[in-house]
Amino acid sequence: MRPVIVDSAIYRDGRRTEGPADLSDALAEARATGDAFLWVGLHEPTEAEFAHVTSEFALHPLAVEDALTAHQRPKLEVYDDSLFAVLKPVVYEPESDRVSSGELMVFLGDSFVVTVRHGAGGPLAAVRKRLEAEPEVLRHGPASVLYVISDAVVDHYLDIAGELQVDLEELEADVFAPTGGSTARTAERIYTAKRQVLEFRRASVPLAGPMARLAGGQVPFVPDRSMPFFRDVHDHLLRANEQVEGLDRLLSDVLSAHLAQMGVRQNDDMRKISAWAAMAAVPTMVAGIYGMNFEHMPELHWVWSYPAVILLMAGVVAGLYRLFKRRGWM
């Protein structure tokens, strides 16, 4: 069990104390005083590794299955002996402009917190450090852990929304530049950006419901005095969701503008091709008529026939060129 347990400690009166190595003894010690709780953090445990934790903390089998399987939507489930929350922290990779998400599962119960992390980007180490530096928050008990985890995840949402906004502005500048948006990769970049926003939305939008429940109170294992803290997190989450919804709409508009520009360019190209074809058709027609080798044709034996025909063709072509130029076809 030890390799999968990232950290384990008893927090009493807002201060960290090292408890027994055995989870059962540590939980009993935390419950003995009534002002302490045990926080156990795990990283991607297997079913066998998690079985001991499940039995010691009497976790519900459905919640355990979700914690082991991962790939869950953000949610909040209330069971008889525990509260189960799922959050999806998001990571932005500036080198590739890629958004990826991990998963954090939090079990809250009588004098204990169990956190399970899957994938990268989990802020648990920073959360522990922040909480241990703020004993007045830790005195709120296990609910303080859920609050600070939620706050860290949602604040990071706002940071990533800002990064995606910068990427969107770069795309807009490229699409609406005088010679921009003409490369084949522009549409690919817009589509990739929409995929990143979709990944972000899958993490942030479903979390609004659980945060609203926590902010509204009357949730087991979460005291009512914690409501203002969760209301603050819920407010930040709504701001992040508004930003990501706006980004998604703007990306759709940018894609539509790019496709419209491509259509306009194609129409311009077709008009130019049509204009050149029309100018080429006149000398082709004249040359074709005089190339039919009939014996009796107008001006066939006239000395100036050849230069006259050449001048006629050149004059007609020049006239057509001026006409097309004036109308913007050339």
Side-chain angles (χ1 to χ4, degrees):
M1 277 298 301
R2 296 309 301 173
V4 78
I5 295 181
V6 178
D7 200 355
S8 176
I10 295 175
Y11 294 88
R12 181 176 288 106
D13 192 29
R15 303 290 180 183
R16 177 181 178 129
T17 60
E18 299 301 330
D22 183 76
L23 294 181
S24 180
D25 295 340
L27 182 59
E29 180 178 325
R31 286 173 172 171
T33 57
D35 63 346
F37 67 92
L38 173 64
W39 181 2
V40 179
L42 302 98
H43 178 239
E44 297 183 354
T46 64
E47 184 176 356
E49 292 168 335
F50 202 50
H52 180 58
V53 175
T54 302
S55 61
E56 291 295 338
F57 295 98
L59 304 179
H60 196 279
L62 292 178
V64 170
E65 181 182 356
D66 289 343
L68 292 173
T69 306
H71 303 295
Q72 304 295 319
R73 283 169 53 89
K75 62 181 179 178
L76 182 70
E77 299 285 352
V78 178
Y79 297 101
D80 294 336
D81 300 319
S82 63
L83 181 71
F84 178 62
V86 179
L87 300 94
K88 296 180 75 69
V90 175
V91 176
Y92 177 80
E93 300 172 5
E95 297 81 9
S96 58
D97 295 336
R98 182 174 177 269
V99 173
S100 59
S101 61
E103 289 189 41
L104 280 175
M105 285 78 169
V106 183
F107 294 87
L108 261 69
D110 180 17
S111 301
F112 73 85
V113 179
V114 177
T115 53
V116 182
R117 178 168 65 91
H118 290 269
L124 293 182
V127 165
R128 275 190 188 264
K129 186 176 181 180
R130 171 183 167 184
L131 273 172
E132 290 171 2
E134 300 177 356
E136 67 280 2
V137 177
L138 266 174
R139 291 191 183 99
H140 286 80
S144 64
V145 177
L146 179 59
Y147 156 67
V148 177
I149 290 176
S150 304
D151 188 52
V153 169
V154 171
D155 284 349
H156 199 49
Y157 286 168
L158 292 171
D159 295 338
I160 293 177
E163 297 285 352
L164 292 175
Q165 180 66 41
V166 172
D167 292 343
L168 173 59
E169 291 172 357
E170 293 176 355
L171 272 174
E172 286 179 325
D174 181 38
V175 169
F176 294 108
T179 58
S182 59
T183 63
R185 291 203 67 246
T186 301
E188 180 185 350
R189 289 175 59 201
I190 298 173
Y191 179 74
T192 301
K194 284 188 69 69
R195 287 292 302 269
Q196 307 316 310
V197 170
L198 177 61
E199 182 71 19
F200 191 180
R201 291 184 61 186
R202 286 174 178 169
S204 66
V205 173
L207 188 58
M211 285 297 108
R213 288 181 62 187
L214 291 168
Q218 298 183 346
V219 177
F221 307 107
V222 178
D224 289 343
R225 64 178 182 272
S226 301
M227 289 170 53
F229 299 96
F230 286 106
R231 279 200 296 267
D232 181 66
V233 176
H234 184 241
D235 179 63
H236 291 177
L237 179 61
L238 292 180
R239 285 170 49 197
N241 286 341
E242 289 173 358
Q243 289 186 30
V244 75
E245 293 289 347
L247 288 171
D248 190 48
R249 288 194 299 269
L250 283 173
L251 280 169
S252 297
D253 293 341
V254 169
L255 180 60
S256 299
H258 172 66
L259 295 176
Q261 285 185 333
M262 294 296 292
V264 169
R265 288 192 180 95
Q266 289 176 351
N267 288 337
D268 288 342
D269 293 341
M270 289 301 298
R271 284 189 297 185
K272 291 178 181 179
I273 293 171
S274 300
W276 284 109
M279 288 188 293
V282 173
T284 301
M285 179 186 68
V286 175
I289 292 174
Y290 277 91
M292 289 188 292
N293 296 321
F294 290 112
E295 183 176 350
H296 301 288
M297 295 181 68
E299 313 299 340
L300 189 62
H301 301 288
W302 185 38
V303 176
W304 297 100
S305 297
Y306 178 75
V309 170
I310 295 297
L311 286 174
L312 174 65
M313 291 190 293
V316 173
V317 170
L320 288 174
Y321 180 82
R322 290 187 61 187
L323 175 64
F324 293 142
K325 190 74 173 179
R326 190 181 308 117
R327 295 186 177 183
W329 285 35
M330 300 295 293

